[in-house]
């Protein structure tokens, strides 16, 4: 229980001429002593010991293993006898599925319903459980509900170990401060990346940006990279980092990831540039400061034929455009992406329109999931119509085509693929507002091209 001290606030109200109008007294709580908790939610992290072994194998699945080294059943030999598995064991392909079914059935038995939009999310009357293999995050406005669930699962025979308030999950450090919640990966993943790139030395120079302004080409005639750096392994770590706490490197990482199977020395140099940038900014991450209004803002952007003149002009891949966008929920970034478009755009407007269409695919399921969570966490959402969605587009042509009424194609847009026009039918029912934003204020710009140091100064 967090008991706050109280205090009196006295005020003398006066008329315009300075004479006393009345004296006021108010009883106030000391908010400077209040522990800020997002949505007043208690958060507990839990771990399941020997998770897979909890699940039994169905009778129709007969799996046998050799007796393990160092153990021989009395009266047998390792060659004459084998063991028949009754429970799921680590290493079996079907073990994760059986354990998921096992834990899901226990959660559903205790009135937690599996989400329609995320199979690892379970929602109860006043409690939420996020499951990732054997790690659990449990949220509730009432701490007693969390304790009751943990106790009930333990009574069911699940070896559940409570690890206290969530300070980290899946390699992401969670820190709560007065200014908000910060998500960083400094002590774990970033250090491993810097080490894998051979940049442990204090004399390694640092960079202000993760990528050069010019795009990273295929470099077909370049010198193949040596094996001193495990290129694919570093790419895997960077993709995880950019997808969870460092959206600022998403564009640079995606550029390098395109050449994972045949990197050259030029690609390794680009990879090391990301490492130098991380070394100078390793303490930084996402800072979540949610606003009071539960609004969704989407910032889509596109870079039209960005590789043209940087690669072989006879290669059709060099004229593919890039889509980038970021989605904010209550002014907090929750989804972002940087990827090449699958089809060749014939104009800047078409590239922007394709990016706009792709960016609309994520807010809609996000809205539905928020509505699903609303009752458990106390969000003021009754249906999708009272959530305000703004899509900030900086291309006038794409914006005009999206707003055309009645909905139709212009002579220059008839060739656009039908699959990119679907979102126009959702603008009214989903309460979407398309607004013009200045290019200098387009947050999606950082996901489509290499920029100077100014946007990275925060």
């Amino acid at each position: 229980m967090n008991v706050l001290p109280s205090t009196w606030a006295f005020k003398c109200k006066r008329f315009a001429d300075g004479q006393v109008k009345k004296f006021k007294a108010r009883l106030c709580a000391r908010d400077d002593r209040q522990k800020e908790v997002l949505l007043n939610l208690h958060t507990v992290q839990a771990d399941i010991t020997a998770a897979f072994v909890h699940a039994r194998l169905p009778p129709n699945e007969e799996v046998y293993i050799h007796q393990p080294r160092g153990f021989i059943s009395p009266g047998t030999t390792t060659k004459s006898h084998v063991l028949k598995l009754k429970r799921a064991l680590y290493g079996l392909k079907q073990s994760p599925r059986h354990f998921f079914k096992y834990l899901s059935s226990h959660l559903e038995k205790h009135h937690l319903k599996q989400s329609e939009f995320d199979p690892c999310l379970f929602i109860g009357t006043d409690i939420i459980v996020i499951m990732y293999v054997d790690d659990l995050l449990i949220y509730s406005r009432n701490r007693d509900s969390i304790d009751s669930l943990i106790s009930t699962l333990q009574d069911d025979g699940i070896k559940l170990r409570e690890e206290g308030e969530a300070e980290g999950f899946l390699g992401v450090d969670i820190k709560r401060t007065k200014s908000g919640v910060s998500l960083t990966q400094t002590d774990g993943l970033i250090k491993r990346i810097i080490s894998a790139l051979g940049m442990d030395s204090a004399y390694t120079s640092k960079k202000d940006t993760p990528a050069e302004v010019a795009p990273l080409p295929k470099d077909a005639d370049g010198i193949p990279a040596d094996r001193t750096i495990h290129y694919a392994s570093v790419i895997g770590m960077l993709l995880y980092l950019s997808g969870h706490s460092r959206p600022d490197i998403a564009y640079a990482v995606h550029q390098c990831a395109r050449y994972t199977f045949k990197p050259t020395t030029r690609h390794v140099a680009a990879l090391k540039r990301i490492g130098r940038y991380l070394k100078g900014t390793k303490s930084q991450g996402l800072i979540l400061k949610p606003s009071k209004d539960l609004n969704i803002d989407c910032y889509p952007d596109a870079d039209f034929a960005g590789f043209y003149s940087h690669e072989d002009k006879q290669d059709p891949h060099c004229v593919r455009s890039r889509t980038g966008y970021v989605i904010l929920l209550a002014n907090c970034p929750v989804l972002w992406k940087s990827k090449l478009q699958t089809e060749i755009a014939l104009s800047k407007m078409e590239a922007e329109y394709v990016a706009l269409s792709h960016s609309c695919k994520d807010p809609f399921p996000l809205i539905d999931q928020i509505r699903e969570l609303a009752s458990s966490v106390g969000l003021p959402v009754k249906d999708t119509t009272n959530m305000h969605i703004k899509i900030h587009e900086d291309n006038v042509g794409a914006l005009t085509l999206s707003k055309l009424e009645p909905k139709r194609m212009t002579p220059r847009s008839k060739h656009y693929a039908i699959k990119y026009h679907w979102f126009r039918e959702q603008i009214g029912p989903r309460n979407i507002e398309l607004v013009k934003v200045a290019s200098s204020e387009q947050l999606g710009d950082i996901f489509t091209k290499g920029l100077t140091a100014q946007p990275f100064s925060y």
Side-chain angles (χ1 to χ4, degrees):
M1 180 184 297
N2 182 24
V3 182
L4 300 177
S6 61
T7 185
W8 286 102
F10 301 103
K11 186 176 182 180
C12 174
K13 294 199 70 174
R14 299 177 181 273
F15 290 104
D17 59 2
Q19 295 189 22
V20 175
K21 181 178 180 180
K22 61 179 178 179
F23 294 97
K24 296 181 66 175
R26 289 177 179 172
L27 180 63
C28 305
R30 289 277 302 277
D31 64 340
D32 60 311
R33 301 287 295 276
Q34 186 175 6
K35 296 181 179 178
E36 294 190 1
V37 182
L38 184 62
L39 294 175
N40 294 321
L41 293 179
H42 297 276
T43 308
V44 170
Q45 187 172 357
D47 176 75
I48 300 176
T49 306
F52 289 175
V53 184
H54 286 76
R56 291 184 176 274
L57 291 178
N60 62 333
E61 292 187 18
E62 292 189 357
V63 182
Y64 300 89
I65 63 171
H66 291 288
Q67 296 188 64
R69 186 181 302 173
F71 171 83
I72 300 177
S73 182
T76 68
T77 65
T78 56
K79 294 184 178 180
S80 63
H81 287 74
V82 294
L83 302 178
K84 180 181 179 180
L85 294 181
K86 294 183 178 180
R87 294 178 178 269
L89 194 67
Y90 285 90
L92 291 181
K93 294 180 180 179
Q94 63 267 44
S95 291
R97 182 179 72 252
H98 289 316
F99 172 70
F100 180 80
K101 289 182 177 179
Y102 169 83
L103 186 56
S104 299
S105 63
H106 280 275
L107 292 173
E108 290 173 354
K109 184 175 72 174
H110 299 299
H111 311 294
L112 277 89
K113 181 182 177 183
Q114 189 177 27
S115 169
E116 297 179 7
F117 308 99
D118 189 337
C120 297
L121 176 64
F122 292 81
I123 305 169
T125 305
D126 65 341
I127 194 168
I128 297 171
V129 177
I130 299 174
M131 174 172 57
Y132 189 87
V133 191
D134 58 350
D135 292 315
L136 302 179
L137 273 181
I138 308 174
Y139 297 87
S140 179
R141 288 173 291 173
N142 186 356
R143 176 60 200 236
D144 293 338
S145 298
I146 297 178
D147 295 336
S148 175
L149 177 64
I150 292 176
S151 177
T152 304
L153 293 176
Q154 290 173 339
D155 293 340
D156 288 346
I158 300 176
K159 296 181 179 179
L160 190 66
R161 182 177 50 134
E162 182 182 338
E163 297 181 346
E165 186 176 359
E167 296 180 351
F169 190 66
L170 304 181
V172 180
D173 296 326
I174 305 171
K175 295 181 181 179
R176 294 170 177 80
T177 62
K178 290 184 178 180
S179 59
V181 178
S182 65
L183 306 179
T184 59
Q185 293 174 268
T186 304
D187 296 329
L189 193 55
I190 292 182
K191 283 186 177 180
R192 287 169 53 198
I193 292 170
I194 292 174
S195 177
L197 290 172
M199 297 181 177
D200 295 318
S201 171
Y203 299 101
T204 303
S205 60
K206 301 172 184 178
K207 292 290 184 180
D208 295 328
T209 62
E212 294 182 1
V213 175
L216 182 65
K218 187 183 297 184
D219 195 23
D221 300 325
I223 302 172
D226 56 34
R227 297 188 178 182
T228 56
I229 293 176
H230 199 314
Y231 192 93
S233 175
V234 176
I235 287 293
M237 290 188 285
L238 286 171
L239 286 171
Y240 191 85
L241 178 66
S242 65
H244 289 78
S245 65
R246 295 298 297 267
D248 52 331
I249 65 171
Y251 165 74
V253 173
H254 186 269
Q255 281 202 121
C256 294
R258 295 181 63 215
Y259 312 109
T260 300
F261 295 103
K262 196 178 178 181
T264 66
T265 53
R266 184 170 183 176
H267 302 143
V268 172
L271 204 64
K272 288 186 175 181
R273 183 187 179 99
I274 301 175
R276 291 189 176 97
Y277 172 74
L278 289 175
K279 190 166 185 179
T281 60
K282 59 184 177 181
S283 62
Q284 297 178 356
L286 281 182
I287 300 177
L288 307 180
K289 299 179 181 179
S291 60
K292 294 181 180 179
D293 298 323
L294 196 63
N295 295 330
I296 293 179
D297 294 277
C298 178
Y299 292 83
D301 194 30
D303 181 31
F304 174 59
F307 285 97
Y308 190 74
S309 76
H310 294 279
E311 290 188 353
D312 182 7
K313 296 181 181 180
Q314 303 302 320
D315 185 355
H317 290 288
C318 80
V319 291
R320 289 165 66 191
S321 302
R322 178 176 290 274
T323 290
Y325 61 85
V326 60
I327 298 174
L328 309 181
L329 172 62
N331 206 34
C332 298
V334 292
L335 293 168
W336 53 85
K337 185 169 289 187
S338 175
K339 62 176 292 185
L340 288 178
Q341 296 179 2
T342 55
E343 298 174 2
I344 296 175
L346 303 184
S347 65
K348 171 68 173 175
M349 171 184 163
E350 183 178 351
E352 292 280 358
Y353 189 79
V354 171
L356 175 60
S357 177
H358 276 300
S359 69
C360 288
K361 293 179 181 179
D362 285 328
F364 298 158
L366 178 63
I367 294 169
D368 295 332
Q369 192 164 68
I370 292 171
R371 181 180 58 179
E372 191 180 45
L373 292 167
S375 60
S376 293
V377 298
L379 293 175
V381 178
K382 296 181 181 179
D383 53 44
T384 56
T385 59
N386 69 340
M387 290 191 64
H388 193 59
I389 308 171
K390 276 187 178 181
I391 298 180
H392 305 260
E393 175 61 57
D394 62 354
N395 184 270
V396 177
L399 202 60
T400 303
L401 181 60
S402 304
K403 292 180 176 182
L404 275 182
E405 290 293 345
K407 297 175 176 62
R408 62 190 187 277
M409 298 298 106
T410 63
R412 293 186 179 183
S413 63
K414 286 183 177 181
H415 66 280
Y416 293 4
I418 295 175
K419 63 182 178 181
Y420 296 128
H421 301 305
W422 67 275
F423 74 96
R424 295 167 67 176
E425 297 292 337
Q426 302 291 325
I427 292 177
R430 290 282 189 173
N431 193 25
I432 299 172
E433 182 183 1
L434 295 166
V435 298
K436 176 70 171 66
V437 64
S439 296
S440 59
E441 299 177 2
Q442 175 57 268
L443 301 184
D445 203 33
I446 199 173
F447 300 96
T448 60
K449 58 184 76 71
L451 301 175
T452 57
Q454 194 274 332
F456 297 92
S457 302
Y458 53 88

